[in-house]
Amino acid sequence: MYNGRCILAKPVKYVFVTGGVLSGLGKGITAASIGNILEARGLKVNIQKLDPYLNVDAGTLNPSEHGECFVTKDGAETDLDLGHYERFLNIELTSKSSIMSGRVLRKLIDDERNGKFLGKTVQLVPHFTNAIIENVEEAAKGFDIHIVEIGGTVGDYESPAFFEAIRELGQRVGVENCLYVQVVYMPYLATSKEIKTKPAQNAVRSLRSMGIIPDILVARSEVPTNGKTRAKLSAFCGVSQEGIAILPNARTVYEVPLTLEQQGIGNYIVNSLGLKTKKPQMSEWKKLVSTIVSERTPKYKIGVVAKYLDNQDTYMSVFEALRAASWHLNVDLEIEWVDAEKMAKSKSYAKILAEMDGIVVPGGFGLRGVEGKVVAAQYSLKNNLPYLGLCLGMQVGVIAAARNYGLKHATSEELDPKAKDLVIYTMEDQKGKENTGGTMRLGDYDCVLDKGSISAELYGKKNITERHRHRYEANNKYVDQYTDWGIVPAGKSPDGRLVEIIEATNHRFFVASQFHPEFTSRPNVPHPLFIGFIQSLKRKK
């Protein structure tokens, strides 16, 4: 109320992003890029991923198949697209931004068991679709624009309820308050030297059969196209030429927002939704892209000692954090996989590691490959090779230091529960939960850095907050021995119970954190620990 008059809140505007033809086209990058160019206009933007998988969350999905599990500040284990969202929009998302079928269905079934439907027959439509709509509307509260990406492609067996939900929501809020964006693929036939639009046409036809008519078409292609392609898509897909963006392969994914902006998609969206905004402020993003695509010297070779090697996306945030730091410092990186499983069995591991300017040991679960990571950490400690450990990378760093000192049986409870020296053990509140999903130490936790530590110098402050995803911790029984082992606890939880960071003494750079700093790195605001790691490569051995 204002002066006796009722002031109605502005309605939230919705942008729904769907995909057709095939998966892996870059719907997540497209959704994030749309958010980027709208945010550049001063709009308050939120973004959400709806995934039709029957999993409750992404915590138990195989990284080799689905890529990394990204963790939000409130501890949600999510699809890697949320990492793209956070990096492109420089925001921190919550569990509301990641919805999977299993999570919605579980609540729906619990409600049915508790009698909340008063004896009604519970069905996919309207009950499941209404539950999806409620999740979307809840996440949209307080924002100017809410972007919603639907996982998978049109025609997937598990997806119809999600498409029906966004159709109904669009009808409910009105055409003036929502837009539908369809991302499609146009294959290039080398024999005839032409781009084929038929798969895109069929994908749009499938979407229209569900009652959704796309307002914007984002057409991916391997090669640049001409104006005739846009005109053909417009004619056969029923989308205005002004609402069609052609996205050939980019030099970097961070170029996509600029490409969409150049093709007028930002103005098309705000005009279609009746929004009055300021001119887009894209200068900093243009500067970032210019830095990324420019030649930089020197080039450093980074070995990522990993166990999930089948999918480029497995360590997406780690790679992006490394690159962001290199852009900030104006150097180039060559990132090379180092198979942790083979390293444990190889006698020539020293030769492999000697070729690296620095190594990164990222997180992971299970026994496979861990001994190889320990070997890499031992080598780093003995040979003054820069080392950045992330989560499991800190745990193997502790094990390596202990073994180098002489504790031959030092290990983790995860690897050998009956071992003599469990320098890494199960947290007291995690015992008995080893095989369950969503029960680890997840999300933001505070850390107090040692005043004289490298980490405190890099952060420029003593108190920090970082994201976690782990069940095992450094065993406090051994912390007093760290100095003898050549390491120090450089950061602990505020109550002093949990070691959060270790650093090696008399070493160029050996820093390892129990948390995941890669999750809070941004392309234009790189994380301090990654900056410190890349800086250490520049120092003479």
Side-chain angles (χ1 to χ4, degrees), residues 463-522:
N463 298 303
I464 62 171
T465 302
E466 292 283 3
R467 296 186 199 174
H468 295 65
R469 185 182 183 236
H470 62 100
R471 180 171 287 117
Y472 298 89
E473 294 277 0
N475 191 337
N476 286 324
K477 175 183 174 182
Y478 294 88
V479 173
D480 290 342
Q481 300 178 39
Y482 279 11
T483 304
D484 294 334
W485 300 353
I487 60 174
V488 293
K492 289 186 176 183
S493 58
D495 60 8
R497 290 178 55 244
L498 306 175
V499 175
E500 291 279 10
I501 303 180
I502 63 164
E503 296 176 2
T505 54
N506 301 316
H507 197 284
R508 287 172 65 196
F509 189 92
F510 189 103
V511 178
S513 65
Q514 185 59 79
F515 50 80
H516 288 269
E518 68 271 22
F519 290 151
T520 52
S521 177
R522 303 288 182 260

Side-chain angles (χ1 to χ4, degrees), residues 134-154:
E134 288 171 7
N135 276 284
V136 173
E137 290 182 322
E138 178 62 28
K141 288 179 180 177
F143 293 91
D144 298 318
I145 287 193
H146 185 53
I147 301 169
V148 182
E149 178 195 349
I150 308 295
T153 58
V154 177

Side-chain angles (χ1 to χ4, degrees), residues 89 100 228 301 318 341 351 414 440 452:
L89 277 73
M100 285 191 171
K228 292 181 179 179
K301 193 172 184 179
V318 176
E341 195 170 10
K351 183 179 179 181
E414 181 180 17
M440 296 179 284

